[in-house]
Amino acid sequence: NVCVAIESGSEKVRIEIMNKKTRDEEIVNAVARFREAGIPVVGFVILGMPGETVAENRKSIDFIKKLPLTSVVTSFVVPFRGTQLYDELRAAGKLDDRPFGRDDYKNPVSMNEGISVEQMVGWKDEIRGHFSRLSVLRELEMQAEREVF
């Protein structure tokens, strides 16, 4: 399989907040080409970027669900010490001094105004629920069957 760092389904969030240069069209085309070649595609998505709104999260979820991904890995943003994101959130008083651990990918450590922890977890569950966890294995099995016959 191939993994694609979609990061956000909102082009605005990717470009203006994450400082990525990837446009929606490029993601759609890349995923389509991999799928046409019979390659399973796993998308990586980050939720909870500072500045994201409810509307941008909804747009992101809808975009990701429309992609013909085999599977998706979702996580919440983790602002590690020494990064610009950490410094900005710390200066704004949006982080405490606790060290981040493995579990922080499962639970939001920083929240945007107007968005609850329950909403964030619900969005993550919605994305994950749209793609079956076993779909990669099922797809590889189907590919192997096609090669045998």
Side-chain angles (χ1 to χ4, degrees):
N1 70 9
V2 66
C3 298
V4 177
I6 299 164
E7 310 291 23
S8 173
S10 167
E11 190 172 280
K12 178 181 177 185
V13 170
R14 267 194 320 277
I15 292 172
E16 295 178 14
I17 297 174
M18 295 178 157
N19 199 29
K20 306 282 183 180
K21 307 298 182 216
T22 311
R23 301 260 178 215
D24 287 350
E25 181 182 342
E26 293 173 293
I27 292 171
V28 169
N29 290 338
V31 172
R33 285 189 178 131
F34 287 126
R35 300 299 290 163
E36 288 166 9
I39 300 170
V41 181
V42 178
F44 283 83
V45 178
I46 298 173
L47 299 173
M49 288 300 294
E52 279 183 319
T53 64
V54 171
E56 286 162 341
N57 275 288
R58 184 76 259 153
K59 182 177 182 176
S60 181
I61 292 164
D62 292 343
F63 176 81
I64 291 160
K65 287 170 63 174
K66 288 178 185 174
L67 293 171
L69 300 170
T70 306
S71 185
V72 68
V73 176
T74 57
S75 62
F76 297 110
V77 65
V78 178
F80 291 103
R81 290 182 195 272
T83 64
Q84 180 180 346
L85 178 59
Y86 177 89
D87 294 341
E88 289 172 1
L89 292 174
R90 183 89 172 117
K94 295 185 177 185
L95 290 177
D96 56 29
D97 286 324
R98 72 181 172 87
F100 301 123
R102 289 186 332 173
D103 192 46
D104 293 317
Y105 296 102
K106 298 177 186 172
N107 300 293
V109 296
S110 175
M111 298 303 301
N112 291 315
E113 288 185 38
I115 300 176
S116 69
V117 170
E118 292 79 17
Q119 280 177 298
M120 294 284 291
V121 171
W123 291 330
K124 181 177 179 179
D125 289 344
E126 180 181 347
I127 294 168
R128 291 177 60 201
H130 185 74
F131 301 95
S132 168
R133 291 182 181 190
L134 298 177
S135 58
V136 171
L137 295 175
R138 195 172 318 122
E139 187 158 332
L140 290 173
E141 184 178 78
M142 288 171 36
Q143 184 178 356
E145 288 174 2
R146 283 191 302 266
E147 291 172 4
V148 170
F149 297 108

